[in-house]
Amino acid sequence: MGQNRRYQLVERDVERAGQAADRAPRPVSPTIDQVTGTGRRVDASDPVPVTAWVPHQVAYVEALPIDAEAIAWTQRAVLIRWTQPGASYPTHAWLWAHAVSRRADH
């Protein structure tokens, strides 16, 4: 019997998709334990537009400026929300407060 070429093509596509996902930038957040230690959480009544330097891990970690919304914070950490290009759902990340600043357009 010959090889199933269609299966091999699908298998290669799945492998390539997995490799692309491994290379896709992923936001890096402080742990929940770290954030819990920064003080009492305050939730925003309305999201606050911010620009935040979000560390991303690819093959290394690089902070990229992201236009986002601050939706909660403590004394030293901020929970932000943004939608990455091509995504249909928002991404959330806790960041250290010094990495976030209020945008002037609000």
Side-chain angles (χ1 to χ4, degrees):
M1 290 196 166
Q3 295 178 340
N4 186 336
R5 292 179 193 263
R6 178 179 290 165
Y7 176 78
Q8 288 176 339
L9 291 175
V10 170
E11 189 176 65
R12 284 190 197 126
D13 288 343
V14 169
E15 183 178 352
R16 280 190 210 115
Q19 290 170 348
D22 288 343
R23 290 189 303 270
R26 294 184 191 135
V28 178
S29 271
T31 67
I32 295 300
D33 289 339
Q34 289 173 320
V35 172
T36 301
T38 66
R40 188 176 70 80
R41 174 179 167 159
V42 177
D43 289 300
S45 56
D46 290 312
V48 178
V50 297
T51 298
W53 285 89
V54 180
H56 282 73
Q57 182 173 358
V58 183
Y60 55 91
V61 174
E62 178 181 2
L64 303 171
I66 302 288
D67 287 336
E69 297 174 323
I71 59 172
W73 50 84
T74 69
Q75 287 181 337
R76 296 188 310 257
V78 180
L79 177 61
I80 64 167
R81 171 179 64 200
W82 76 99
T83 302
Q84 297 189 37
S88 58
Y89 54 89
T91 300
H92 297 79
W94 279 100
L95 299 174
W96 299 117
H98 69 269
V100 179
S101 59
R102 190 179 292 255
R103 284 199 316 258
D105 63 339
H106 188 264

